[in-house]
Amino acid sequence: MWLLLLAAAATASILITVGIVFVLFSEAIPFFGEVDFSEFATNTVWSPLGGEFGVLPLIVTSIYVAAIATIVAVPLGVGSAIYLSEYASEPFRKVIKPVLELLAGIPTVVLGFFALY
C-alpha cells in the first residue's frame, strides 16, 4: 500500500516537472522565433512594449547580488557553525540551533518580502 502511494507521488512529481519544462519550451520557441537570441542575451535595454528584450543587465545584476550575498553569508554561516559546535554552552546551543535551522528553511523571497514592509 505505502509503496504504491510513494510510486504515485514520485510519478506525479516527474510528470509535473516534465509538464513545466514542456510549457516553458512551448512558450519560448515562438518568442525566440521573433527575437534573435544573441540580441536577447547581449542587449542592455529591456523595453517589451518597444520590442527590445535585452536580458544582460538582469543577468549581471543577479550575479552581482549573488556574489555579495555569498561574501556576507559564508563567513557568517561558517562562523556561527564553528561557534555553536565548539564554544557555545549546551543550553545556548539548544535554543539557538533550532532557531537558525528554522531561519535557514525560510525562502529568501519571503524574507525579502518582509524586509520590503
Side-chain angles (χ1 to χ4, degrees):
M1 172 67 180
W2 289 108
L3 189 60
L4 186 61
L5 185 63
L6 288 174
T11 304
S13 175
I14 292 170
L15 290 176
I16 289 170
T17 303
V18 169
I20 290 171
V21 170
F22 174 75
V23 168
L24 284 174
F25 276 108
S26 67
E27 295 293 324
I29 289 172
F31 173 77
F32 285 116
E34 298 175 15
V35 177
D36 183 34
F37 182 77
S38 63
E39 181 181 331
F40 174 74
T42 59
N43 192 359
T44 59
V45 178
W46 179 265
S47 178
L49 297 177
E52 295 190 66
F53 302 96
V55 77
L56 185 62
L58 301 173
I59 293 171
V60 170
T61 305
S62 295
I63 292 170
Y64 184 66
V65 168
I68 292 173
T70 302
I71 289 169
V72 171
V74 167
L76 285 175
V78 171
S80 63
I82 291 171
Y83 175 75
L84 284 176
S85 66
E86 298 295 328
Y87 301 111
S89 65
E90 190 64 31
F92 182 75
R93 185 180 315 139
K94 282 187 176 183
V95 172
I96 295 300
K97 188 176 177 194
V99 170
L100 289 177
E101 289 173 355
L102 182 65
L103 183 64
I106 300 173
T108 55
V109 173
V110 174
L111 295 175
F113 180 73
F114 288 149
L116 184 64
Y117 286 99

